Amino acid sequence: MCCVTREDRAAWVEALQAAKDLFPRALTSSDFSPSEDVVISTEKLRSRLVQEGVGETVVKDCESIMLSELSEMQNKLKALQHKHITLLDTLRQLEVLFVLLFTFDLCNNKFEYIQA
């Protein structure tokens, strides 16, 4: 076993607290639920293109392109949300691990690092 002094532990706790402050605990279960699909209307685009005299085939093509691009963006946002949730879960696991690995030895009045 490797002994850790009070100063070492204080530095660890301070670093942990600083990292913890970056991720507030005010999160709820709804923060982790999958986001709802967004409904996009192409009506304004359609109206503008028709007003400019663009044919129906081109209008439909433009709508298709726009919806495809937005779908791709939505997929990327969902992937980022998943990464965010994974990061927060990992940080919580590290916090638990930190608490479990550092225990106070009352007899020796020092902190010991317990190797897992």
Side-chain angles (χ1 to χ4, degrees):
M1 282 192 199
C2 168
C3 294
V4 178
T5 66
R6 285 180 185 255
E7 293 80 17
D8 292 337
R9 183 181 183 280
W12 271 94
V13 170
E14 186 177 324
L16 178 64
Q17 187 62 47
K20 206 170 151 185
D21 290 344
L22 295 174
F23 302 94
R25 287 227 175 227
L27 299 173
T28 64
S29 60
S30 65
D31 292 321
F32 298 106
S33 62
S35 61
E36 297 177 18
D37 287 339
V38 177
V39 178
I40 303 294
S41 170
T42 60
E43 193 56 39
K44 288 181 182 179
L45 173 64
R46 170 175 281 284
S47 296
R48 181 71 173 113
L49 291 173
V50 168
Q51 180 183 2
E52 290 296 320
V54 176
E56 185 63 24
T57 304
V58 175
V59 170
K60 284 185 179 183
D61 191 35
C62 290
E63 288 177 317
S64 176
I65 291 169
M66 186 192 82
L67 291 173
S68 174
E69 291 292 320
L70 287 171
S71 177
E72 186 178 327
M73 183 183 297
Q74 186 176 20
N75 290 337
K76 288 179 181 179
L77 288 172
K78 284 182 180 182
L80 285 173
Q81 180 188 30
H82 177 72
K83 286 181 182 181
H84 179 78
I85 290 168
T86 303
L87 173 63
L88 290 174
D89 186 47
T90 301
L91 288 172
R92 286 192 180 96
Q93 291 174 15
L94 287 172
E95 180 182 11
V96 169
L97 183 62
F98 176 82
V99 170
L100 292 175
L101 291 177
F102 286 87
T103 60
F104 185 67
D105 181 344
L106 291 174
C107 296
N108 296 323
N109 200 23
K110 62 186 172 197
F111 293 93
E112 291 184 337
Y113 172 75
I114 300 175
Q115 294 181 352

